[in-house]
Amino acid sequence: MYFSHKTSKAIPSSAVEVLGGELTPYLASLRRTVEQGGYTAPEASLLVPTDEYMQTAVEAILDKVYTKSLRFVFVIGIGGSNLGTKAVYDAMASARDLAPHHQPRLIFIDTTDSTLLATAQALIKKAEHANEVLFIIISKSGTTTETIANAEILLASFADRFGRNARRVIVMSETGSPLLTAAREQQMHTLDLPPTVGGRYSVFTPVGLLPLALMGFGVREMRTAAHTRIEKSLHPDVVLNDAVLSALTQYYFYRDNIRQHDTFVFTPALESVGKWYRQLLGESIGKSVIGDDTKRIGITPTVTVGSTDLHSVGQLYLGGPRDRLTTFVSVASRPDVAMPSERAWPDIVPMVSGKSANSILGAIEAGTKAAYDTNNLPYLELKLDALMPEAIADFMQFKMCEMMMLGHLLRVNPFDQPHVEQYKTVTRQILEQK
């Protein structure tokens, strides 16, 4: 186990017993899904961490595309096709960027922004050899407008520099999609994505495994951590099941008209992890109740970074409407920096003398929770043992299990996103008219 989870400030034990009974049959069905195997159930992402075929397929492509001269890996995707990978990479990037030895960079192309694309084109021009550049193009449907447009622009820039080279392109999509079919015809590297695993649940498929493995992260260890978390999250005793307790807490406060959930990270490196969860919660829960299109459900996810944002939204959180459930996320073990023994201004804020950066931030975190207690604001606490890929994988799998259970409690389908198609349809119509 790579983190600890507390719910003591959020939900009374009597509510856990009553509401937990609503989840018991669903927990049993999830265990059956894992036992039976096969990518047929909507919850099939629970099978991914132990699917050795995915690991083998990723390693086979790694052998073909990785070079010691690799500098730039462009991940071209949007939403679930890149947020999980970006969450892990960003959390670990600060330490990697300071490393003295050469390591490639992941560059996420997740929106059709001319400045972003021009910057990417400039990086491609800096490359001296084709082997310094690699493209990973991800679209589950194979028809995502932004992804296809971005890929076309950057592949053309690469071709202008080095000529067309299908061996420096990896395409991931569903079997039979237009993109996957075209990529195979052009002899690009391809990986099939399981159709029942949605993008926001796909970080332990090749979507996340391949780019993270290229960066040298131990993806096998991450998958093991995720599998262990699944076993814990399917425990039949709701009192001993952290994922159940977290889902019950959100459900409990939703019924009390608490319709916002803030992921409050006290380590800036985890901001992208919070943004990954923002998609998971927003896209999974924001929709109509099954069988009743007139009843709409939703919990608005936000991300706050401590202590920075205490000076921007702290007043709102503590003095504004009491309409928010908060999950505080911090890291137990991290590098520290000591306060100098001889200070420039020893008489200003004298209480920090002899302290370290971690102890100061820890005091701010404790002070924030005390202020939440004073204002009777509900919250949960989650502490990662250390800032490492396995701990982040554990957290992400925990949240994916939590989301399945929350969807069941709220009677929505946490695996689809039907209304996202509305903007896509109109976008295509506008482009066709032009």
PDB file of all heavy atoms in Angstrom, residues 5-6 9-10 246 249-250 253 258 260-266 302 304 317 323-329 368-369 372 377-382 399:
ATOM      1  N   HIS A   5      -5.478   6.711   3.803  1.00  0.00           N
ATOM      2  CA  HIS A   5      -6.711   7.434   3.481  1.00  0.00           C
ATOM      3  C   HIS A   5      -7.555   7.556   4.739  1.00  0.00           C
ATOM      4  O   HIS A   5      -7.763   6.579   5.452  1.00  0.00           O
ATOM      5  CB  HIS A   5      -7.479   6.659   2.404  1.00  0.00           C
ATOM      6  CG  HIS A   5      -8.669   7.377   1.859  1.00  0.00           C
ATOM      7  ND1 HIS A   5      -9.957   7.095   2.236  1.00  0.00           N
ATOM      8  CD2 HIS A   5      -8.755   8.384   0.956  1.00  0.00           C
ATOM      9  CE1 HIS A   5     -10.787   7.881   1.586  1.00  0.00           C
ATOM     10  NE2 HIS A   5     -10.091   8.673   0.806  1.00  0.00           N
ATOM     11  N   LYS A   6      -8.001   8.762   5.041  1.00  0.00           N
ATOM     12  CA  LYS A   6      -8.812   8.995   6.231  1.00  0.00           C
ATOM     13  C   LYS A   6     -10.143   9.623   5.846  1.00  0.00           C
ATOM     14  O   LYS A   6     -10.208  10.501   4.992  1.00  0.00           O
ATOM     15  CB  LYS A   6      -8.084   9.918   7.206  1.00  0.00           C
ATOM     16  CG  LYS A   6      -6.795   9.355   7.779  1.00  0.00           C
ATOM     17  CD  LYS A   6      -6.160  10.327   8.755  1.00  0.00           C
ATOM     18  CE  LYS A   6      -4.848   9.779   9.322  1.00  0.00           C
ATOM     19  NZ  LYS A   6      -4.211  10.739  10.257  1.00  0.00           N
ATOM     20  N   LYS A   9     -13.244  12.978   9.108  1.00  0.00           N
ATOM     21  CA  LYS A   9     -13.834  14.306   9.137  1.00  0.00           C
ATOM     22  C   LYS A   9     -15.005  14.441   8.162  1.00  0.00           C
ATOM     23  O   LYS A   9     -15.488  15.528   7.931  1.00  0.00           O
ATOM     24  CB  LYS A   9     -12.775  15.358   8.788  1.00  0.00           C
ATOM     25  CG  LYS A   9     -11.579  15.391   9.729  1.00  0.00           C
ATOM     26  CD  LYS A   9     -11.959  15.855  11.110  1.00  0.00           C
ATOM     27  CE  LYS A   9     -10.721  15.953  11.997  1.00  0.00           C
ATOM     28  NZ  LYS A   9     -11.059  16.345  13.364  1.00  0.00           N
ATOM     29  N   ALA A  10     -15.429  13.341   7.588  1.00  0.00           N
ATOM     30  CA  ALA A  10     -16.353  13.484   6.472  1.00  0.00           C
ATOM     31  C   ALA A  10     -17.710  12.817   6.639  1.00  0.00           C
ATOM     32  O   ALA A  10     -18.707  13.364   6.201  1.00  0.00           O
ATOM     33  CB  ALA A  10     -15.695  12.967   5.201  1.00  0.00           C
ATOM     34  N   SER A 246     -14.621   6.316   0.370  1.00  0.00           N
ATOM     35  CA  SER A 246     -14.503   7.569  -0.366  1.00  0.00           C
ATOM     36  C   SER A 246     -15.737   7.809  -1.229  1.00  0.00           C
ATOM     37  O   SER A 246     -16.252   8.933  -1.296  1.00  0.00           O
ATOM     38  CB  SER A 246     -13.240   7.546  -1.234  1.00  0.00           C
ATOM     39  OG  SER A 246     -13.007   8.804  -1.821  1.00  0.00           O
ATOM     40  N   THR A 249     -18.671   8.721   0.970  1.00  0.00           N
ATOM     41  CA  THR A 249     -18.557  10.088   1.479  1.00  0.00           C
ATOM     42  C   THR A 249     -19.057  11.094   0.456  1.00  0.00           C
ATOM     43  O   THR A 249     -19.836  12.002   0.784  1.00  0.00           O
ATOM     44  CB  THR A 249     -17.096  10.400   1.853  1.00  0.00           C
ATOM     45  OG1 THR A 249     -16.659   9.482   2.847  1.00  0.00           O
ATOM     46  CG2 THR A 249     -16.957  11.820   2.373  1.00  0.00           C
ATOM     47  N   GLN A 250     -18.641  10.940  -0.784  1.00  0.00           N
ATOM     48  CA  GLN A 250     -19.114  11.853  -1.828  1.00  0.00           C
ATOM     49  C   GLN A 250     -20.628  11.738  -2.013  1.00  0.00           C
ATOM     50  O   GLN A 250     -21.327  12.750  -2.182  1.00  0.00           O
ATOM     51  CB  GLN A 250     -18.393  11.559  -3.147  1.00  0.00           C
ATOM     52  CG  GLN A 250     -16.914  11.889  -3.102  1.00  0.00           C
ATOM     53  CD  GLN A 250     -16.316  12.017  -4.487  1.00  0.00           C
ATOM     54  OE1 GLN A 250     -16.771  12.818  -5.290  1.00  0.00           O
ATOM     55  NE2 GLN A 250     -15.292  11.236  -4.761  1.00  0.00           N
ATOM     56  N   PHE A 253     -22.558  13.434   0.949  1.00  0.00           N
ATOM     57  CA  PHE A 253     -22.612  14.889   0.892  1.00  0.00           C
ATOM     58  C   PHE A 253     -23.330  15.388  -0.349  1.00  0.00           C
ATOM     59  O   PHE A 253     -23.908  16.484  -0.339  1.00  0.00           O
ATOM     60  CB  PHE A 253     -21.212  15.480   1.005  1.00  0.00           C
ATOM     61  CG  PHE A 253     -20.690  15.443   2.412  1.00  0.00           C
ATOM     62  CD1 PHE A 253     -19.769  14.494   2.811  1.00  0.00           C
ATOM     63  CD2 PHE A 253     -21.162  16.345   3.349  1.00  0.00           C
ATOM     64  CE1 PHE A 253     -19.308  14.450   4.122  1.00  0.00           C
ATOM     65  CE2 PHE A 253     -20.717  16.308   4.663  1.00  0.00           C
ATOM     66  CZ  PHE A 253     -19.789  15.356   5.053  1.00  0.00           C
ATOM     67  N   ILE A 258     -24.054  19.096  -1.368  1.00  0.00           N
ATOM     68  CA  ILE A 258     -22.647  19.444  -1.584  1.00  0.00           C
ATOM     69  C   ILE A 258     -22.293  18.950  -2.975  1.00  0.00           C
ATOM     70  O   ILE A 258     -22.086  17.758  -3.189  1.00  0.00           O
ATOM     71  CB  ILE A 258     -21.739  18.808  -0.516  1.00  0.00           C
ATOM     72  CG1 ILE A 258     -22.172  19.253   0.878  1.00  0.00           C
ATOM     73  CG2 ILE A 258     -20.281  19.157  -0.768  1.00  0.00           C
ATOM     74  CD1 ILE A 258     -22.037  20.721   1.155  1.00  0.00           C
ATOM     75  N   GLN A 260     -19.766  20.125  -5.141  1.00  0.00           N
ATOM     76  CA  GLN A 260     -18.411  20.369  -5.637  1.00  0.00           C
ATOM     77  C   GLN A 260     -17.431  19.489  -4.877  1.00  0.00           C
ATOM     78  O   GLN A 260     -17.632  19.217  -3.696  1.00  0.00           O
ATOM     79  CB  GLN A 260     -18.010  21.839  -5.454  1.00  0.00           C
ATOM     80  CG  GLN A 260     -18.844  22.823  -6.243  1.00  0.00           C
ATOM     81  CD  GLN A 260     -18.299  24.229  -6.149  1.00  0.00           C
ATOM     82  OE1 GLN A 260     -17.146  24.488  -6.477  1.00  0.00           O
ATOM     83  NE2 GLN A 260     -19.134  25.155  -5.701  1.00  0.00           N
ATOM     84  N   HIS A 261     -16.387  19.046  -5.578  1.00  0.00           N
ATOM     85  CA  HIS A 261     -15.340  18.253  -4.942  1.00  0.00           C
ATOM     86  C   HIS A 261     -14.002  18.836  -5.343  1.00  0.00           C
ATOM     87  O   HIS A 261     -13.642  18.867  -6.525  1.00  0.00           O
ATOM     88  CB  HIS A 261     -15.428  16.789  -5.366  1.00  0.00           C
ATOM     89  CG  HIS A 261     -14.426  15.926  -4.650  1.00  0.00           C
ATOM     90  ND1 HIS A 261     -14.275  14.590  -4.936  1.00  0.00           N
ATOM     91  CD2 HIS A 261     -13.523  16.191  -3.681  1.00  0.00           C
ATOM     92  CE1 HIS A 261     -13.319  14.080  -4.163  1.00  0.00           C
ATOM     93  NE2 HIS A 261     -12.849  15.044  -3.403  1.00  0.00           N
ATOM     94  N   ASP A 262     -13.253  19.294  -4.348  1.00  0.00           N
ATOM     95  CA  ASP A 262     -11.958  19.906  -4.598  1.00  0.00           C
ATOM     96  C   ASP A 262     -10.829  18.953  -4.225  1.00  0.00           C
ATOM     97  O   ASP A 262     -10.777  18.441  -3.106  1.00  0.00           O
ATOM     98  CB  ASP A 262     -11.826  21.192  -3.769  1.00  0.00           C
ATOM     99  CG  ASP A 262     -10.528  21.927  -4.056  1.00  0.00           C
ATOM    100  OD1 ASP A 262     -10.210  22.087  -5.252  1.00  0.00           O
ATOM    101  OD2 ASP A 262      -9.849  22.338  -3.107  1.00  0.00           O
ATOM    102  N   THR A 263      -9.951  18.687  -5.185  1.00  0.00           N
ATOM    103  CA  THR A 263      -8.728  17.934  -4.906  1.00  0.00           C
ATOM    104  C   THR A 263      -7.651  18.954  -4.550  1.00  0.00           C
ATOM    105  O   THR A 263      -7.175  19.698  -5.405  1.00  0.00           O
ATOM    106  CB  THR A 263      -8.292  17.099  -6.119  1.00  0.00           C
ATOM    107  OG1 THR A 263      -9.348  16.196  -6.468  1.00  0.00           O
ATOM    108  CG2 THR A 263      -7.042  16.298  -5.804  1.00  0.00           C
ATOM    109  N   PHE A 264      -7.297  19.011  -3.282  1.00  0.00           N
ATOM    110  CA  PHE A 264      -6.400  20.040  -2.744  1.00  0.00           C
ATOM    111  C   PHE A 264      -5.042  19.392  -2.508  1.00  0.00           C
ATOM    112  O   PHE A 264      -4.818  18.706  -1.522  1.00  0.00           O
ATOM    113  CB  PHE A 264      -6.979  20.575  -1.435  1.00  0.00           C
ATOM    114  CG  PHE A 264      -6.429  21.902  -0.971  1.00  0.00           C
ATOM    115  CD1 PHE A 264      -7.278  22.886  -0.509  1.00  0.00           C
ATOM    116  CD2 PHE A 264      -5.069  22.159  -0.985  1.00  0.00           C
ATOM    117  CE1 PHE A 264      -6.792  24.115  -0.070  1.00  0.00           C
ATOM    118  CE2 PHE A 264      -4.563  23.372  -0.556  1.00  0.00           C
ATOM    119  CZ  PHE A 264      -5.439  24.361  -0.099  1.00  0.00           C
ATOM    120  N   VAL A 265      -4.110  19.603  -3.439  1.00  0.00           N
ATOM    121  CA  VAL A 265      -2.803  18.952  -3.357  1.00  0.00           C
ATOM    122  C   VAL A 265      -1.804  19.875  -2.668  1.00  0.00           C
ATOM    123  O   VAL A 265      -1.720  21.065  -2.989  1.00  0.00           O
ATOM    124  CB  VAL A 265      -2.283  18.523  -4.748  1.00  0.00           C
ATOM    125  CG1 VAL A 265      -3.221  17.521  -5.387  1.00  0.00           C
ATOM    126  CG2 VAL A 265      -2.083  19.714  -5.676  1.00  0.00           C
ATOM    127  N   PHE A 266      -1.082  19.332  -1.704  1.00  0.00           N
ATOM    128  CA  PHE A 266      -0.062  20.103  -1.012  1.00  0.00           C
ATOM    129  C   PHE A 266       1.336  19.789  -1.540  1.00  0.00           C
ATOM    130  O   PHE A 266       2.329  19.977  -0.848  1.00  0.00           O
ATOM    131  CB  PHE A 266      -0.139  19.877   0.498  1.00  0.00           C
ATOM    132  CG  PHE A 266      -1.045  20.851   1.181  1.00  0.00           C
ATOM    133  CD1 PHE A 266      -2.375  20.545   1.400  1.00  0.00           C
ATOM    134  CD2 PHE A 266      -0.587  22.097   1.587  1.00  0.00           C
ATOM    135  CE1 PHE A 266      -3.225  21.452   2.016  1.00  0.00           C
ATOM    136  CE2 PHE A 266      -1.419  23.010   2.197  1.00  0.00           C
ATOM    137  CZ  PHE A 266      -2.749  22.689   2.416  1.00  0.00           C
ATOM    138  N   THR A 302     -12.808  20.462  -8.889  1.00  0.00           N
ATOM    139  CA  THR A 302     -11.825  21.539  -8.960  1.00  0.00           C
ATOM    140  C   THR A 302     -10.486  21.023  -8.444  1.00  0.00           C
ATOM    141  O   THR A 302     -10.422  19.989  -7.783  1.00  0.00           O
ATOM    142  CB  THR A 302     -12.263  22.765  -8.132  1.00  0.00           C
ATOM    143  OG1 THR A 302     -12.457  22.363  -6.771  1.00  0.00           O
ATOM    144  CG2 THR A 302     -13.558  23.349  -8.666  1.00  0.00           C
ATOM    145  N   THR A 304      -6.925  22.450  -6.433  1.00  0.00           N
ATOM    146  CA  THR A 304      -6.280  23.526  -5.696  1.00  0.00           C
ATOM    147  C   THR A 304      -4.871  23.086  -5.314  1.00  0.00           C
ATOM    148  O   THR A 304      -4.666  21.932  -4.937  1.00  0.00           O
ATOM    149  CB  THR A 304      -7.081  23.873  -4.423  1.00  0.00           C
ATOM    150  OG1 THR A 304      -8.414  24.242  -4.792  1.00  0.00           O
ATOM    151  CG2 THR A 304      -6.445  25.022  -3.659  1.00  0.00           C
ATOM    152  N   TYR A 317     -13.050  29.563  -0.045  1.00  0.00           N
ATOM    153  CA  TYR A 317     -13.287  28.249   0.544  1.00  0.00           C
ATOM    154  C   TYR A 317     -13.706  28.344   2.007  1.00  0.00           C
ATOM    155  O   TYR A 317     -14.594  27.618   2.455  1.00  0.00           O
ATOM    156  CB  TYR A 317     -12.020  27.390   0.441  1.00  0.00           C
ATOM    157  CG  TYR A 317     -11.668  26.953  -0.971  1.00  0.00           C
ATOM    158  CD1 TYR A 317     -10.507  26.227  -1.215  1.00  0.00           C
ATOM    159  CD2 TYR A 317     -12.478  27.267  -2.063  1.00  0.00           C
ATOM    160  CE1 TYR A 317     -10.158  25.819  -2.495  1.00  0.00           C
ATOM    161  CE2 TYR A 317     -12.147  26.871  -3.344  1.00  0.00           C
ATOM    162  CZ  TYR A 317     -10.979  26.149  -3.550  1.00  0.00           C
ATOM    163  OH  TYR A 317     -10.647  25.748  -4.821  1.00  0.00           O
ATOM    164  N   ASP A 323     -20.374  24.601   0.168  1.00  0.00           N
ATOM    165  CA  ASP A 323     -20.932  23.734  -0.877  1.00  0.00           C
ATOM    166  C   ASP A 323     -19.881  22.822  -1.477  1.00  0.00           C
ATOM    167  O   ASP A 323     -20.001  22.399  -2.618  1.00  0.00           O
ATOM    168  CB  ASP A 323     -21.575  24.588  -1.976  1.00  0.00           C
ATOM    169  CG  ASP A 323     -20.583  25.583  -2.606  1.00  0.00           C
ATOM    170  OD1 ASP A 323     -19.425  25.643  -2.138  1.00  0.00           O
ATOM    171  OD2 ASP A 323     -20.978  26.289  -3.545  1.00  0.00           O
ATOM    172  N   ARG A 324     -18.852  22.487  -0.696  1.00  0.00           N
ATOM    173  CA  ARG A 324     -17.695  21.792  -1.257  1.00  0.00           C
ATOM    174  C   ARG A 324     -17.188  20.703  -0.308  1.00  0.00           C
ATOM    175  O   ARG A 324     -17.060  20.912   0.885  1.00  0.00           O
ATOM    176  CB  ARG A 324     -16.579  22.831  -1.493  1.00  0.00           C
ATOM    177  CG  ARG A 324     -15.288  22.311  -2.071  1.00  0.00           C
ATOM    178  CD  ARG A 324     -14.298  23.443  -2.239  1.00  0.00           C
ATOM    179  NE  ARG A 324     -14.791  24.442  -3.199  1.00  0.00           N
ATOM    180  CZ  ARG A 324     -15.369  25.584  -2.868  1.00  0.00           C
ATOM    181  NH1 ARG A 324     -15.512  25.906  -1.586  1.00  0.00           N
ATOM    182  NH2 ARG A 324     -15.811  26.405  -3.786  1.00  0.00           N
ATOM    183  N   LEU A 325     -16.919  19.534  -0.890  1.00  0.00           N
ATOM    184  CA  LEU A 325     -16.189  18.474  -0.195  1.00  0.00           C
ATOM    185  C   LEU A 325     -14.757  18.520  -0.699  1.00  0.00           C
ATOM    186  O   LEU A 325     -14.519  18.643  -1.897  1.00  0.00           O
ATOM    187  CB  LEU A 325     -16.807  17.107  -0.488  1.00  0.00           C
ATOM    188  CG  LEU A 325     -16.033  15.883   0.008  1.00  0.00           C
ATOM    189  CD1 LEU A 325     -16.009  15.842   1.530  1.00  0.00           C
ATOM    190  CD2 LEU A 325     -16.651  14.596  -0.553  1.00  0.00           C
ATOM    191  N   THR A 326     -13.797  18.415   0.201  1.00  0.00           N
ATOM    192  CA  THR A 326     -12.386  18.529  -0.165  1.00  0.00           C
ATOM    193  C   THR A 326     -11.646  17.235   0.142  1.00  0.00           C
ATOM    194  O   THR A 326     -11.892  16.607   1.173  1.00  0.00           O
ATOM    195  CB  THR A 326     -11.722  19.689   0.611  1.00  0.00           C
ATOM    196  OG1 THR A 326     -12.367  20.916   0.261  1.00  0.00           O
ATOM    197  CG2 THR A 326     -10.239  19.794   0.286  1.00  0.00           C
ATOM    198  N   THR A 327     -10.766  16.846  -0.762  1.00  0.00           N
ATOM    199  CA  THR A 327      -9.814  15.775  -0.484  1.00  0.00           C
ATOM    200  C   THR A 327      -8.417  16.383  -0.470  1.00  0.00           C
ATOM    201  O   THR A 327      -7.924  16.857  -1.498  1.00  0.00           O
ATOM    202  CB  THR A 327      -9.876  14.654  -1.533  1.00  0.00           C
ATOM    203  OG1 THR A 327     -11.164  14.034  -1.504  1.00  0.00           O
ATOM    204  CG2 THR A 327      -8.821  13.589  -1.239  1.00  0.00           C
ATOM    205  N   PHE A 328      -7.804  16.409   0.713  1.00  0.00           N
ATOM    206  CA  PHE A 328      -6.435  16.906   0.839  1.00  0.00           C
ATOM    207  C   PHE A 328      -5.471  15.784   0.448  1.00  0.00           C
ATOM    208  O   PHE A 328      -5.564  14.666   0.966  1.00  0.00           O
ATOM    209  CB  PHE A 328      -6.148  17.350   2.275  1.00  0.00           C
ATOM    210  CG  PHE A 328      -6.881  18.599   2.689  1.00  0.00           C
ATOM    211  CD1 PHE A 328      -7.904  18.539   3.614  1.00  0.00           C
ATOM    212  CD2 PHE A 328      -6.537  19.832   2.155  1.00  0.00           C
ATOM    213  CE1 PHE A 328      -8.576  19.688   4.006  1.00  0.00           C
ATOM    214  CE2 PHE A 328      -7.199  20.986   2.541  1.00  0.00           C
ATOM    215  CZ  PHE A 328      -8.228  20.920   3.468  1.00  0.00           C
ATOM    216  N   VAL A 329      -4.553  16.081  -0.450  1.00  0.00           N
ATOM    217  CA  VAL A 329      -3.572  15.104  -0.920  1.00  0.00           C
ATOM    218  C   VAL A 329      -2.170  15.658  -0.650  1.00  0.00           C
ATOM    219  O   VAL A 329      -1.847  16.772  -1.080  1.00  0.00           O
ATOM    220  CB  VAL A 329      -3.730  14.799  -2.418  1.00  0.00           C
ATOM    221  CG1 VAL A 329      -2.748  13.716  -2.850  1.00  0.00           C
ATOM    222  CG2 VAL A 329      -5.166  14.383  -2.740  1.00  0.00           C
ATOM    223  N   THR A 368      -4.470  24.681   7.702  1.00  0.00           N
ATOM    224  CA  THR A 368      -5.603  24.693   6.766  1.00  0.00           C
ATOM    225  C   THR A 368      -6.696  23.745   7.221  1.00  0.00           C
ATOM    226  O   THR A 368      -7.888  24.097   7.240  1.00  0.00           O
ATOM    227  CB  THR A 368      -5.120  24.314   5.358  1.00  0.00           C
ATOM    228  OG1 THR A 368      -4.076  25.206   4.955  1.00  0.00           O
ATOM    229  CG2 THR A 368      -6.258  24.375   4.365  1.00  0.00           C
ATOM    230  N   LYS A 369      -6.312  22.540   7.626  1.00  0.00           N
ATOM    231  CA  LYS A 369      -7.306  21.566   8.094  1.00  0.00           C
ATOM    232  C   LYS A 369      -7.993  22.057   9.366  1.00  0.00           C
ATOM    233  O   LYS A 369      -9.204  21.871   9.551  1.00  0.00           O
ATOM    234  CB  LYS A 369      -6.645  20.207   8.324  1.00  0.00           C
ATOM    235  CG  LYS A 369      -6.156  19.547   7.055  1.00  0.00           C
ATOM    236  CD  LYS A 369      -5.336  18.301   7.344  1.00  0.00           C
ATOM    237  CE  LYS A 369      -4.720  17.729   6.077  1.00  0.00           C
ATOM    238  NZ  LYS A 369      -3.806  16.594   6.356  1.00  0.00           N
ATOM    239  N   TYR A 372     -10.575  24.440   8.355  1.00  0.00           N
ATOM    240  CA  TYR A 372     -11.733  23.717   7.823  1.00  0.00           C
ATOM    241  C   TYR A 372     -12.576  23.166   8.970  1.00  0.00           C
ATOM    242  O   TYR A 372     -13.814  23.205   8.934  1.00  0.00           O
ATOM    243  CB  TYR A 372     -11.282  22.593   6.897  1.00  0.00           C
ATOM    244  CG  TYR A 372     -11.098  23.006   5.448  1.00  0.00           C
ATOM    245  CD1 TYR A 372     -10.201  24.024   5.105  1.00  0.00           C
ATOM    246  CD2 TYR A 372     -11.799  22.389   4.435  1.00  0.00           C
ATOM    247  CE1 TYR A 372     -10.026  24.408   3.784  1.00  0.00           C
ATOM    248  CE2 TYR A 372     -11.638  22.764   3.111  1.00  0.00           C
ATOM    249  CZ  TYR A 372     -10.755  23.776   2.790  1.00  0.00           C
ATOM    250  OH  TYR A 372     -10.596  24.153   1.485  1.00  0.00           O
ATOM    251  N   LEU A 377     -16.254  22.437   7.628  1.00  0.00           N
ATOM    252  CA  LEU A 377     -16.181  22.081   6.214  1.00  0.00           C
ATOM    253  C   LEU A 377     -15.710  20.630   6.086  1.00  0.00           C
ATOM    254  O   LEU A 377     -14.671  20.264   6.644  1.00  0.00           O
ATOM    255  CB  LEU A 377     -15.210  23.008   5.488  1.00  0.00           C
ATOM    256  CG  LEU A 377     -15.592  24.500   5.489  1.00  0.00           C
ATOM    257  CD1 LEU A 377     -14.465  25.333   4.905  1.00  0.00           C
ATOM    258  CD2 LEU A 377     -16.877  24.724   4.706  1.00  0.00           C
ATOM    259  N   PRO A 378     -16.444  19.793   5.365  1.00  0.00           N
ATOM    260  CA  PRO A 378     -16.094  18.362   5.282  1.00  0.00           C
ATOM    261  C   PRO A 378     -14.873  18.116   4.404  1.00  0.00           C
ATOM    262  O   PRO A 378     -14.669  18.786   3.384  1.00  0.00           O
ATOM    263  CB  PRO A 378     -17.336  17.736   4.657  1.00  0.00           C
ATOM    264  CG  PRO A 378     -17.935  18.830   3.829  1.00  0.00           C
ATOM    265  CD  PRO A 378     -17.659  20.111   4.589  1.00  0.00           C
ATOM    266  N   TYR A 379     -14.069  17.158   4.802  1.00  0.00           N
ATOM    267  CA  TYR A 379     -12.915  16.818   3.984  1.00  0.00           C
ATOM    268  C   TYR A 379     -12.459  15.393   4.256  1.00  0.00           C
ATOM    269  O   TYR A 379     -12.789  14.788   5.273  1.00  0.00           O
ATOM    270  CB  TYR A 379     -11.756  17.793   4.221  1.00  0.00           C
ATOM    271  CG  TYR A 379     -11.170  17.825   5.615  1.00  0.00           C
ATOM    272  CD1 TYR A 379     -10.163  16.935   6.003  1.00  0.00           C
ATOM    273  CD2 TYR A 379     -11.598  18.769   6.547  1.00  0.00           C
ATOM    274  CE1 TYR A 379      -9.602  16.973   7.270  1.00  0.00           C
ATOM    275  CE2 TYR A 379     -11.038  18.824   7.820  1.00  0.00           C
ATOM    276  CZ  TYR A 379     -10.047  17.928   8.174  1.00  0.00           C
ATOM    277  OH  TYR A 379      -9.495  17.963   9.433  1.00  0.00           O
ATOM    278  N   LEU A 380     -11.690  14.875   3.299  1.00  0.00           N
ATOM    279  CA  LEU A 380     -10.998  13.604   3.438  1.00  0.00           C
ATOM    280  C   LEU A 380      -9.505  13.888   3.356  1.00  0.00           C
ATOM    281  O   LEU A 380      -9.091  14.940   2.856  1.00  0.00           O
ATOM    282  CB  LEU A 380     -11.396  12.617   2.340  1.00  0.00           C
ATOM    283  CG  LEU A 380     -12.884  12.296   2.195  1.00  0.00           C
ATOM    284  CD1 LEU A 380     -13.481  13.120   1.063  1.00  0.00           C
ATOM    285  CD2 LEU A 380     -13.089  10.819   1.912  1.00  0.00           C
ATOM    286  N   GLU A 381      -8.689  12.941   3.810  1.00  0.00           N
ATOM    287  CA  GLU A 381      -7.242  13.095   3.755  1.00  0.00           C
ATOM    288  C   GLU A 381      -6.619  11.889   3.063  1.00  0.00           C
ATOM    289  O   GLU A 381      -7.000  10.746   3.327  1.00  0.00           O
ATOM    290  CB  GLU A 381      -6.663  13.201   5.163  1.00  0.00           C
ATOM    291  CG  GLU A 381      -7.174  14.366   5.982  1.00  0.00           C
ATOM    292  CD  GLU A 381      -6.611  14.343   7.390  1.00  0.00           C
ATOM    293  OE1 GLU A 381      -5.390  14.523   7.530  1.00  0.00           O
ATOM    294  OE2 GLU A 381      -7.387  14.116   8.343  1.00  0.00           O
ATOM    295  N   LEU A 382      -5.662  12.183   2.195  1.00  0.00           N
ATOM    296  CA  LEU A 382      -4.956  11.108   1.495  1.00  0.00           C
ATOM    297  C   LEU A 382      -3.481  11.483   1.432  1.00  0.00           C
ATOM    298  O   LEU A 382      -3.149  12.570   0.970  1.00  0.00           O
ATOM    299  CB  LEU A 382      -5.539  10.937   0.095  1.00  0.00           C
ATOM    300  CG  LEU A 382      -5.137   9.698  -0.677  1.00  0.00           C
ATOM    301  CD1 LEU A 382      -6.244   9.299  -1.642  1.00  0.00           C
ATOM    302  CD2 LEU A 382      -3.849   9.925  -1.447  1.00  0.00           C
ATOM    303  N   LYS A 399      -8.903   5.736  -7.278  1.00  0.00           N
ATOM    304  CA  LYS A 399      -9.915   6.675  -7.733  1.00  0.00           C
ATOM    305  C   LYS A 399     -10.800   6.083  -8.830  1.00  0.00           C
ATOM    306  O   LYS A 399     -12.000   6.379  -8.904  1.00  0.00           O
ATOM    307  CB  LYS A 399      -9.247   7.962  -8.213  1.00  0.00           C
ATOM    308  CG  LYS A 399      -8.727   8.838  -7.084  1.00  0.00           C
ATOM    309  CD  LYS A 399      -9.886   9.325  -6.210  1.00  0.00           C
ATOM    310  CE  LYS A 399      -9.454  10.254  -5.113  1.00  0.00           C
ATOM    311  NZ  LYS A 399     -10.588  10.715  -4.282  1.00  0.00           N
TER     312      LYS A 399
END
